[in-house]
Amino acid sequence: MNQAGLRVTIDDIREEVADLETPEERIAYLIELGQTVPDLPTQYRTEDYRVVGCQSMVWLVPTLDGSKIHFRGSSDAPMVRGLVAILLAAYSGHKADDFLAFRVNEFFDELKLTSFLTPMRSNGLHSMVQRIQAIARGASLANAPDVTSPKQLTGYRVTLPAIPIDSCRDDFPILSEKLPCGKPWAYLDNAASSQRPSSVIDCMNRVYRTHYANVHRSGHQLAAQTTAAMEEAREAICSWLHADSSSQIIFTPGTTASINLVARSWGDTHLKPGDEIVLTEMEHHSNIVPWQQLAQRTGAQIRWLGVRDDFHLDIESLESILNSRTKLVALTAVSNVLGTINPVRSIVDAAHRVGAKVLVDAAQSVPHGKVSPAEWDADWVVFSGHKMLGPTGIGVLYGKQEILESMPPFLGGGNMIKSVTKAGFVPADLPHRFEAGTGPIVEAIAMKPALEYLMRVGSEAILQHERRLAKRAIEGLSSIRGLRVLGPSIESKTGIVSFVVPGIHSDQIGQYLNASAVAIRVGHHCAMPLHERFGIGVSARASFYFYNTEAEVDAFVAATIRACEL
Ligand SMILES: Cc1ncc(COP(=O)(O)O)c(C=O)c1O
């Protein structure tokens, strides 16, 4: 008997199926084989171990023993339990590298045990194999002989070599695009949206060209492959965020959509007249307007945590703002205008002390690859893919499991239900409950190569490089008379440099820079209350990223100086 509790080996199965002739005999065999799978204790029949993409409930539970991985598993469908038995016999007790070398499809073909399966069952089998292989990949790269938690085994590790900052530009095709005059663009509008490496563009292209189909529904192999790729991306994000379960990762169209989802679903359920919502003066409109709308709907009040003259939050006044009426604090981890990195954990702790929930807008944190809901103890964390090398139209809502489970669905439609009758509907489990309709499938899949690229460059390297460029820019701009940089000292911010020059409209600067092939942003950057706080209407903003160069900073500084001399 192996550690999976199975008595049969792969060779036994080979021998036994050799005599089976008809599909009916094979079905009967699978059902009989399924009965040999030992019972899986209920503590393992959870979302953590469930294989997404199977029509029936299937659980696979890995444990690491030295370099070997043992599996237990089960299903609520008798025939699927037979398939689980074959997978356990094939994989359990072997080394991760052997898993990856094992030609599982050929093996099933040889057994002739799957040719009669319905497309839905085939999809499920494919999902099980994908799950096992993902676990094997995680384990083979874990470098951690003492890994004992099954969850850790499913972790997402990047094995590809690190990418040195000075060699990454060639990976971004757009960065070599030139104006008709032959000048290359200096793209310094990264806080609005980053550019994408070829790996992300190629991934989207590959999916559309080779296996695109709608996910979670159709019963064919293409759908299974696309569903598995989407779920792999979800797993990757889950692991990157150190979340406990991929069911806490909800794909949305972006930060704005994620915030609106929480405001509608959680906010409409929990807020009442007299309750308070605390926002900071440095929020993006995306983290203001949905709460103002919620306040209008419910009669709740909004209170504001101010920004000090040194461009940091006025933390000292927080205790006097929070009180037993505070139900929610929504704040950005990094300001999209000032670049200020906020002390999220201490604000979360203070909010939790009065019983409030906290939503963290991480839209400007993800470009640096450093986001940890657990370290922040945030109740929700939201971000967009397009600011972290990923596609547009895709974002994430992370939430604490028990909070997400308590939230009613926001959008209704296909994909978000367990069942529908004329009398009503039963919502699906997480995360699908919040993913109504056909979402940005290919965009979600391409989040994985985006994340991979980000991790290969490394969050420390990204931040240090951005700061080096921001410092160079600020020093260069300092020769402009009266120029005021909006933002704290370099060590407490990211590579965002916003500024105003007395008597010169930011538009003039933006126009001149555009003509000089330098792309920056001018305006209020969707942060009007922040501009109002500093007595200005608009500002100019250059935002640097790891693929920018000192030469681009110098071009920006020179063009800005000329624009101010006009
Ligand atoms: C801090 C912050 N929050 C929210 C958003 C909105 O993101 P999206 O437009 O991707 O929904 C942005 C975008 O600039 C941002 O910088």
Side-chain angles (χ1 to χ4, degrees):
M1 196 189 307
N2 68 15
Q3 283 218 4
L6 268 188
R7 289 198 168 72
V8 284
T9 65
I10 277 300
D11 290 333
D12 296 335
I13 294 172
R14 256 198 196 101
E15 230 172 81
E16 286 165 4
V17 298
D19 300 332
L20 306 178
E21 283 176 3
T22 64
E24 290 77 10
E25 282 175 347
R26 294 196 183 103
I27 290 174
Y29 176 76
L30 279 177
I31 292 174
E32 214 172 286
L33 190 60
Q35 287 164 358
T36 68
V37 176
D39 240 15
L40 187 67
T42 43
Q43 84 233 41
Y44 297 118
R45 293 169 179 258
T46 63
E47 278 302 305
D48 272 357
Y49 296 110
R50 194 159 84 78
V51 181
V52 180
C54 295
Q55 191 185 16
S56 50
M57 300 292 272
V58 177
W59 303 272
L60 285 171
V61 183
T63 39
L64 192 67
D65 164 19
S67 58
K68 293 179 181 166
I69 303 176
H70 297 282
F71 277 99
R72 274 174 293 174
S74 194
S75 169
D76 61 351
M79 198 174 91
V80 178
R81 215 159 35 239
L83 294 172
V84 169
I86 297 175
L87 291 174
L88 296 185
Y91 285 109
S92 192
H94 291 276
K95 292 185 180 164
D97 292 339
D98 298 337
F99 281 37
L100 299 171
F102 182 62
R103 298 190 176 279
V104 64
N105 292 337
E106 285 175 20
F107 177 66
F108 274 107
D109 286 348
E110 178 199 327
L111 293 184
K112 298 199 187 75
L113 268 182
T114 50
S115 51
F116 58 91
L117 294 183
T118 62
M120 285 304 270
R121 287 262 184 266
S122 290
N123 288 349
L125 180 61
H126 185 74
S127 300
M128 286 186 246
V129 170
Q130 291 252 335
R131 174 82 171 177
I132 288 174
Q133 288 178 340
I135 290 166
R137 273 195 294 277
S140 97
L141 308 168
N143 296 327
D146 61 342
V147 173
T148 49
S149 152
K151 191 64 213 163
Q152 277 170 279
L153 277 179
T154 65
Y156 170 65
R157 310 279 197 297
V158 172
T159 47
L160 301 164
I163 300 175
I165 289 237
D166 53 11
S167 73
C168 68
R169 268 184 86 84
D170 289 347
D171 294 331
F172 291 79
I174 200 169
L175 298 181
S176 51
E177 283 296 306
K178 294 188 172 63
L179 283 175
C181 65
K183 256 190 182 178
W185 273 105
Y187 183 75
L188 307 181
D189 195 15
N190 295 288
S193 203
S194 73
Q195 298 297 350
R196 280 124 208 85
S198 298
S199 57
V200 171
I201 300 165
D202 294 348
C203 167
M204 296 182 75
N205 208 344
R206 194 170 51 248
V207 176
Y208 278 127
R209 281 176 176 277
T210 63
H211 67 81
Y212 172 77
N214 209 336
V215 291
H216 299 306
R217 291 172 236 187
S218 312
H220 47 76
Q221 186 60 28
L222 289 174
Q225 229 177 314
T226 309
T227 303
M230 184 166 165
E231 293 312 317
E232 246 183 69
R234 197 191 306 272
E235 290 273 348
I237 294 167
C238 167
S239 177
W240 172 58
L241 295 180
H242 301 288
D244 291 331
S245 160
S246 60
S247 61
Q248 294 169 270
I249 310 301
I250 292 152
F251 284 125
T252 70
T255 308
T256 306
S258 299
I259 296 172
N260 277 278
L261 191 165
V262 175
R264 288 281 178 174
S265 168
W266 180 87
D268 281 358
T269 319
H270 287 85
L271 265 68
K272 57 181 187 323
D275 285 342
E276 292 179 2
I277 300 167
V278 174
L279 306 177
T280 87
E281 282 180 340
M282 63 168 78
E283 297 312 311
H284 186 283
H285 296 166
S286 290
N287 204 22
I288 296 177
V289 180
W291 306 120
Q292 290 176 327
Q293 291 174 309
L294 174 64
Q296 281 170 4
R297 289 196 300 275
T298 60
Q301 301 290 315
I302 298 206
R303 302 196 61 183
W304 295 90
L305 178 63
V307 178
R308 298 189 313 228
D309 289 345
D310 65 0
F311 306 103
H312 287 280
L313 287 173
D314 183 12
I315 293 295
E316 289 71 29
S317 70
L318 184 62
E319 297 290 343
S320 67
I321 293 172
L322 296 172
N323 62 69
S324 60
R325 291 185 300 280
T326 315
K327 292 293 176 290
L328 174 82
V329 175
L331 83 152
T332 190
V334 173
S335 160
N336 69 315
V337 178
L338 311 171
T340 310
I341 300 172
N342 287 325
V344 174
R345 179 62 196 240
S346 55
I347 296 172
V348 172
D349 285 346
H352 283 169
R353 279 197 291 278
V354 298
K357 300 270 182 279
V358 184
L359 178 140
V360 178
D361 174 351
Q364 294 293 343
S365 307
V366 287
H368 314 103
K370 224 176 184 173
V371 178
S372 177
E375 261 174 50
W376 287 335
D377 195 22
D379 298 297
W380 302 279
V381 174
V382 297
F383 57 89
S384 304
H386 69 93
K387 292 188 199 279
M388 52 178 285
L389 312 178
T392 53
I394 181 74
V396 166
L397 164 64
Y398 155 92
K400 285 184 180 166
Q401 183 97 20
E402 67 279 9
I403 298 177
L404 289 177
E405 270 168 6
S406 74
M407 288 164 52
F410 166 39
L411 296 176
N415 201 39
M416 52 70 73
I417 48 90
K418 262 189 190 143
S419 64
V420 184
T421 63
K422 286 184 192 164
F425 72 95
V426 179
D429 293 329
L430 295 174
H432 307 297
R433 177 190 308 186
F434 295 111
E435 294 180 355
T438 298
I441 298 168
V442 181
E443 287 76 4
I445 293 171
M447 284 295 278
K448 190 170 173 223
L451 195 52
E452 241 163 34
Y453 197 97
L454 209 54
M455 292 172 84
R456 290 176 66 190
V457 180
S459 50
E460 261 327 292
I462 294 173
L463 194 57
Q464 291 320 322
H465 184 77
E466 274 186 22
R467 282 181 176 159
R468 225 177 3 257
L469 297 187
K471 185 162 176 283
R472 189 180 179 93
I474 291 168
E475 282 167 4
L477 294 175
S478 65
S479 66
I480 300 174
R481 193 133 48 87
L483 179 135
R484 183 178 172 211
V485 173
L486 307 169
S489 53
I490 204 84
E491 64 285 352
S492 29
K493 66 185 233 145
T494 62
I496 290 175
V497 178
S498 296
F499 58 97
V500 284
V501 184
I504 299 180
H505 198 283
S506 302
D507 256 355
Q508 176 180 322
I509 298 174
Q511 291 294 330
Y512 191 87
L513 263 62
N514 179 48
S516 312
V518 179
I520 65 160
R521 174 139 181 207
V522 294
H524 51 61
H525 321 308
C526 298
M528 290 173 90
L530 180 70
H531 282 80
E532 193 189 343
R533 154 69 182 85
F534 289 100
I536 49 179
V538 292
S539 59
R541 178 184 76 184
S543 47
F544 304 102
Y545 207 17
F546 62 84
Y547 42 62
N548 290 128
T549 63
E550 290 186 351
E552 288 177 321
V553 176
D554 295 346
F556 155 69
V557 169
T560 308
I561 291 172
R562 281 197 305 277
C564 294
E565 286 167 353
L566 290 178

